[in-house]
């Protein structure tokens, strides 16, 4: 299996703050990889570094064989990387349809993806004309993910998809992410280890701005000492 993404010993800064201090991992194509770690470890900054939203001053980010560190974020995104930020960053005063339409990279993207998106998230089809503010938290998260599916992206970066959602909605989100991973490689940040372990085949643990462990999720599940040391779970 080839790697769609390689993050090679990156050091990243936000303003003057040195957040990442040697993060190194690969993402196999066609997989789901979970970035794990405690709050403030550097997981979100890792996603932002891949997309050019945080300054990578050392190391390399290689997407589909091409070095992208230092490129403007819009150019990196145009190569085929979708980003779902945390906190359900949608346009709350726009309708569901308008939110999806604005995510088009090329004219007609939404029309080509409608069936796929609405099969994943039937609620969005049902509430197509509702504004973002009229959606529930779970529906807003569905819309945030759906926007990243409008354009043709071979890699999706998803930050905290289960945050603040009710258990029944989380299960629906897990099913949806599994389905979309059949078309795009997924890297997700997930604080809920149970959710991450249900979804991801691979894991990377980030601790204090450094990658400290990586491998198969099934091996991590069996290593209770590592889980306790880095994630605080029993």
């Amino acid at each position: 299996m080839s790697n769609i993404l390689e993050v090679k010993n990156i050091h990243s800064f936000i303003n003057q703050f040195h957040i990442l201090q040697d993060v190194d991992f690969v993402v196999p194509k066609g997989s789901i990889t979970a970035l794990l770690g405690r709050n403030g470890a550097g997981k979100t900054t890792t996603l932002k570094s891949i997309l050019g939203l945080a300054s990578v001053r050392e190391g390399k980010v290689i997407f589909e064989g091409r070095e992208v560190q230092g490129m403007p974020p819009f150019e990196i995104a145009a190569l085929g990387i979708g980003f779902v930020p945390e906190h359900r960053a949608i346009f709350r005063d726009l309708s569901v349809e308008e939110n999806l339409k604005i995510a088009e990279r090329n004219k007609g993207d939404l029309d080509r993806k409608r069936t796929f998106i609405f099969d994943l998230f039937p609620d969005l089809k049902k509430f197509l004309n509702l504004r973002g503010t009229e959606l529930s938290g779970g529906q807003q998260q569905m819309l945030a993910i759906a926007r990243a599916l409008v354009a043709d992206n071979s890699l999706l970066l998803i930050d905290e998809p289960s945050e603040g959602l009710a258990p029944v909605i989380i299960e629906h989100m897990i099913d949806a992410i599994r389905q979309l991973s059949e078309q795009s490689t997924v890297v997700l940040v997930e604080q809920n280890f149970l959710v991450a372990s249900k979804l991801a085949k691979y894991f990377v643990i980030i601790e204090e701005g450094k990658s400290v462990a990586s491998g198969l999720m099934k091996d991590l599940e069996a290593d209770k000492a590592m889980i306790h040391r880095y994630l605080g779970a029993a």
Side-chain angles (χ1 to χ4, degrees), residues 133-196:
T133 52
E134 299 175 279
L135 301 177
S136 69
Q139 291 160 352
Q140 289 178 12
Q141 184 67 290
M142 293 172 196
L143 178 56
I145 294 175
R147 286 195 320 176
L149 306 179
V150 172
D152 290 325
N153 291 311
S154 54
L155 176 65
L156 294 177
L157 310 177
I158 306 178
D159 198 355
E160 297 283 10
S162 74
E163 184 179 27
L165 300 183
V168 65
I169 302 299
I170 289 174
E171 288 301 317
H172 178 69
M173 196 68 64
I174 287 172
D175 289 340
I177 292 173
R178 281 196 187 119
Q179 289 182 59
L180 69 88
S181 72
E182 295 174 6
Q183 297 198 13
S184 300
T185 303
V186 175
V187 176
L188 62 90
V189 166
E190 181 52 68
Q191 199 68 29
N192 186 323
F193 180 70
L194 181 59
V195 171

Side-chain angles (χ1 to χ4, degrees), residues 60-111:
K60 297 178 180 180
V61 177
I62 301 172
F63 173 62
E64 294 191 322
R66 177 176 179 174
E67 289 188 28
V68 299
Q69 76 278 357
M71 291 173 57
F74 73 91
E75 289 186 6
I76 296 174
L79 295 175
I81 301 179
F83 181 43
V84 183
E86 59 183 337
H87 306 312
R88 304 165 199 151
I90 62 171
F91 295 102
R92 297 174 184 273
D93 290 329
L94 298 183
S95 69
V96 168
E97 172 114 32
E98 290 166 336
N99 265 277
L100 295 173
K101 191 72 176 175
I102 208 169
E104 287 189 321
R105 191 173 292 141
N106 299 297
K107 187 174 181 180
D109 280 348
L110 178 56
D111 288 337

Side-chain angles (χ1 to χ4, degrees), residues 1 22 24 60 64 86 88-89 92 108-109 112 118 131 184 213 222 230-231:
M1 181 182 293
D22 195 12
D24 185 273
K60 297 178 180 180
E64 294 191 322
E86 59 183 337
R88 304 165 199 151
R92 297 174 184 273
D109 280 348
R112 289 187 295 103
F118 294 144
R131 293 187 305 162
S184 300
Y230 292 117
L231 307 179

